[in-house]
Amino acid sequence: ITGELSKDYHLFVKEVDGLGPGEYPTVTPGLAGISNYSSTDVTITTNAGGIRSVQFNTNRSTDARTFTIRVEDPADPTTYDDVKVKVEEGTVTITTYGIPYLGEEITLSGTNTDSDTTYLFLTGPGLATDGVKLSDVAVAVEDGNPSTFTSVVVDVGYPETPHWSYRWNTSDIGQILNSGNYTVYAAAEPRSRDNVSDVKYAATDIQLKLPSVTVATSSTTVARGDDLMISGDVTGYP
């Protein structure tokens, strides 16, 4: 906010019909230059340079819409300025990198603009229907119980969009998996597969394969003293 030097101004979020108190962006409490505090309506005092910065917070209760924030001279409300701020719903994404062979490390990463933690779990053949903990597939996830999920803190300092990343070591997961088609879920809250549709989430299918070794010879018979060529192929091993 830029105005006269060391002057009081009225700063507020304009009301929207039908919205409750918890659905607005809110002024961060305890900021310098703020008085007569209310979450959406404050008095701000510019500094000796005639400026003041004010931070607003949002959360999952904040309504996804465009809000108008107004600053005005309390002595003359016709002297004012508005700024419009669009609040959007958060999203979660997931991608995979690496060779999908059992025993190898697979990197899972994505974005999460809906929460500070991403909760990962796995579904697939032979596993609990609602999903299992990615880092220990012997543990079935419990809806609403974070300890049963693989939790990854979201890096909010990541350039552009809050980012998360997890290196999944498939050789150290508490139980041997079989080859087959699996699905990895990333959710904004610790929700099991039956309830994940209630929150922001993303999922990716991954086909895990068993490592293999093949070998062949140039001939099934060879004369004594002749060369025998042996060739093979290795997949899924370091």
Side-chain angles (χ1 to χ4, degrees):
I1 297 167
T2 303
E4 296 182 31
L5 312 185
S6 303
K7 178 177 173 58
D8 289 346
Y9 288 94
H10 182 203
L11 176 71
F12 59 97
V13 183
K14 295 186 71 172
E15 289 189 11
V16 179
D17 290 341
L19 286 193
E23 298 178 279
Y24 289 85
T26 58
V27 177
T28 304
L31 295 177
I34 298 293
S35 59
N36 300 323
Y37 179 83
S38 152
S39 62
T40 60
D41 191 320
V42 298
T43 297
I44 67 103
T45 305
T46 57
N47 62 20
I51 61 174
R52 182 66 68 187
S53 294
V54 180
Q55 176 178 311
F56 282 81
N57 295 331
T58 63
N59 55 43
R60 272 174 278 174
S61 297
T62 307
D63 196 51
R65 65 164 62 236
T66 297
F67 291 91
T68 300
I69 300 173
R70 173 169 290 191
V71 59
E72 64 184 26
D73 186 340
D76 179 12
T78 62
T79 302
Y80 68 90
D81 196 16
D82 289 338
V83 63
K84 293 186 182 296
V85 178
K86 184 178 182 180
V87 177
E88 297 179 336
E89 291 188 1
T91 60
V92 176
T93 66
I94 182 173
T95 56
T96 62
Y97 301 93
I99 304 172
Y101 285 100
L102 288 166
E104 295 293 320
E105 184 177 271
I106 301 171
T107 299
L108 307 169
S109 63
T111 59
N112 181 354
T113 59
D114 196 62
S115 67
D116 296 332
T117 303
T118 301
Y119 298 91
L120 304 175
F121 66 94
L122 181 72
T123 62
L127 301 178
T129 304
D130 250 359
V132 298
K133 191 173 187 176
L134 203 63
S135 53
D136 187 351
V137 298
V139 177
V141 300
E142 298 175 12
D143 191 63
N145 184 354
S147 67
T148 62
F149 293 76
T150 297
S151 303
V152 184
V153 175
V154 177
D155 182 2
V156 295
Y158 192 83
E160 297 179 0
T161 305
H163 188 269
W164 63 270
S165 181
Y166 178 72
R167 298 170 68 177
W168 184 30
N169 184 356
T170 61
S171 66
D172 185 23
I173 51 179
Q175 178 177 314
I176 300 299
L177 290 175
N178 295 317
S179 61
N181 295 317
Y182 294 83
T183 302
V184 180
Y185 288 81
E189 296 182 31
R191 307 302 292 271
S192 61
R193 186 173 70 170
D194 282 352
N195 298 290
V196 75
S197 60
D198 296 336
V199 300
K200 299 298 180 182
Y201 80 98
T204 184
D205 294 329
I206 184 169
Q207 184 179 17
L208 294 178
K209 303 175 183 179
L210 289 173
S212 63
V213 177
T214 60
V215 64
T217 62
S218 57
S219 175
T220 56
T221 59
V222 62
R224 185 179 297 172
D226 288 348
D227 292 334
L228 176 65
M229 292 294 295
I230 300 177
S231 61
D233 185 40
V234 178
T235 57
Y237 289 98

